[in-house]
Amino acid sequence: MNNKPLRPLYTVPYATWIILFVIAPIALIVYYSFLDLTGNFTFENYKNFFTSVYLKLTLSSFWYAFLITFFSLLFAYPTAYFLTKTKHKHLWLLLIIIPSWINLLLKTYAFIGLFGLYGPINALLEVMGIGEQQILFTDFSFVFVSVYIFIPFMILPIFNALDKLNPALIDASRDLGANAWTTFRRVVWPLTINGVKSGIQVVFIPALSLFMITRLIAGNKVITLGTAIEQQFLVTQNWGMGSTIAVFLILFMFIIMLITNGKEKGASNNGKTK
């Protein structure tokens, strides 16, 4: 039976979803970005975005997103590598992913208790003779908690890339006289770079728009694009400026996706050569 005449109908639910929940919200944000406080058409919001205040805010957001992504990658790659060498690798991977199922707000409040002046971390520092330290409401606490929250999303794509890596290629590299570092640099890293790029996407992009963690953990000492959008919409009620920041945030995300996008390359599964 020929179903070709019905095939366009199969795309209707998908197209409807994209139009209603992707295209329409973005179009609405773009529309509001051209309105001032009185609802009149203006380019003033875009001019204001290129002032020193918002440019510094943008650079700050990229800096913190870079730090979060860098430390997530720094710990995620060796973790994913050692997971692929363990006997029950998928079980261990599941144990790492399970904390990401817990509500983000609950995890954030848990760290408030841990890092507080009367929390267990400061209690341990007291026992060690170091004394109480202001850990909460610092850059360190913000980056630490953010890395903890995002690191499972960095581990997963890297683990998948490493798990698919053909071990025969590593054996061949060693047979040709390459040491462990050369094998990693010339074989393992290039063949798993797409997993790294995927991890960077799912960490760097959301890290640009963090706002709840900045309030609860950093105590508003860290201001990101996400925090600025929240303040413009909920505090100053300047929807036009908030929408303008959101437009640039979407643009930044799109550029990052283009930069980190790549075609899959590498080896066959299960150690079998093609």
Side-chain angles (χ1 to χ4, degrees):
M1 183 177 178
N2 191 357
N3 291 326
K4 287 185 178 180
L6 296 176
R7 285 181 181 177
L9 295 176
Y10 300 154
T11 63
V12 171
Y14 174 76
T16 303
W17 178 273
I18 294 297
I19 292 171
L20 291 178
F21 299 105
V22 179
I23 298 177
I26 293 176
L28 195 61
I29 288 172
V30 173
Y31 168 74
Y32 274 109
S33 69
F34 290 103
L35 301 180
D36 59 17
L37 286 170
T38 59
N40 296 319
F41 183 85
T42 181
F43 287 102
E44 196 66 25
N45 295 324
Y46 285 89
K47 289 174 60 178
N48 290 336
F49 184 84
F50 289 98
T51 59
S52 60
V53 174
Y54 289 102
L55 289 178
K56 288 179 181 178
L57 174 64
T58 302
L59 291 176
S60 175
S61 297
F62 271 88
W63 171 245
Y64 284 111
F66 167 77
L67 288 178
I68 293 166
T69 305
F70 173 77
F71 285 111
S72 295
L73 178 60
L74 184 66
F75 291 106
Y77 201 101
T79 301
Y81 179 81
F82 286 115
L83 280 177
T84 59
K85 303 300 179 183
T86 58
K87 184 177 181 181
H88 303 290
K89 54 187 176 183
H90 291 98
L91 174 61
W92 287 109
L93 180 64
L94 178 64
L95 294 176
I96 291 174
I97 294 174
I98 282 177
S100 65
W101 299 350
I102 301 173
N103 183 271
L104 178 60
L105 188 60
L106 293 177
K107 289 189 287 188
T108 305
Y109 275 116
F111 275 103
I112 292 175
L114 288 172
F115 288 157
L117 288 177
Y118 303 102
I121 302 298
N122 264 308
L124 179 62
L125 294 177
E126 284 280 358
V127 173
M128 296 172 61
I130 299 176
E132 290 184 351
Q133 301 293 322
Q134 181 60 51
I135 304 173
L136 201 60
F137 308 139
T138 61
D139 289 358
F140 166 78
S141 62
F142 170 68
V143 174
F144 184 92
V145 174
S146 300
V147 170
Y148 168 81
I149 289 170
F150 284 122
I151 199 167
F153 304 105
M154 180 70 80
I155 291 175
L156 187 58
I158 296 175
F159 173 86
N160 290 334
L162 287 167
D163 199 39
K164 292 191 297 182
L165 184 64
N166 189 347
L169 296 176
I170 299 176
D171 294 337
S173 175
R174 291 174 179 171
D175 290 343
L176 292 172
N179 57 29
W181 169 245
T182 303
T183 299
F184 171 78
R185 183 170 57 89
R186 302 295 296 272
V187 179
V188 178
W189 178 260
L191 294 179
T192 58
I193 191 64
N194 285 327
V196 173
K197 288 180 178 180
S198 298
I200 291 173
Q201 280 186 6
V202 298
V203 173
F204 192 93
I205 291 176
L208 273 178
S209 56
L210 286 173
F211 68 93
M212 184 182 68
I213 297 176
T214 59
R215 286 192 177 279
L216 298 178
I217 299 296
N220 280 340
K221 292 183 179 179
V222 175
I223 304 296
T224 64
L225 290 173
T227 309
I229 292 172
E230 182 201 23
Q231 289 176 345
Q232 292 293 338
F233 274 97
L234 301 181
V235 180
T236 64
Q237 296 291 308
N238 190 348
W239 288 27
M241 195 63 223
S243 297
T244 302
I245 300 171
V247 168
F248 281 99
L249 182 58
I250 293 170
L251 181 62
F252 295 148
M253 291 177 177
F254 182 72
I255 293 172
I256 293 166
M257 289 181 67
L258 289 179
I259 294 173
T260 56
N261 192 28
K263 295 181 180 179
E264 186 175 359
K265 61 181 180 178
S268 57
N269 292 330
N270 300 324
K272 298 177 182 178
T273 56
K274 293 183 178 179

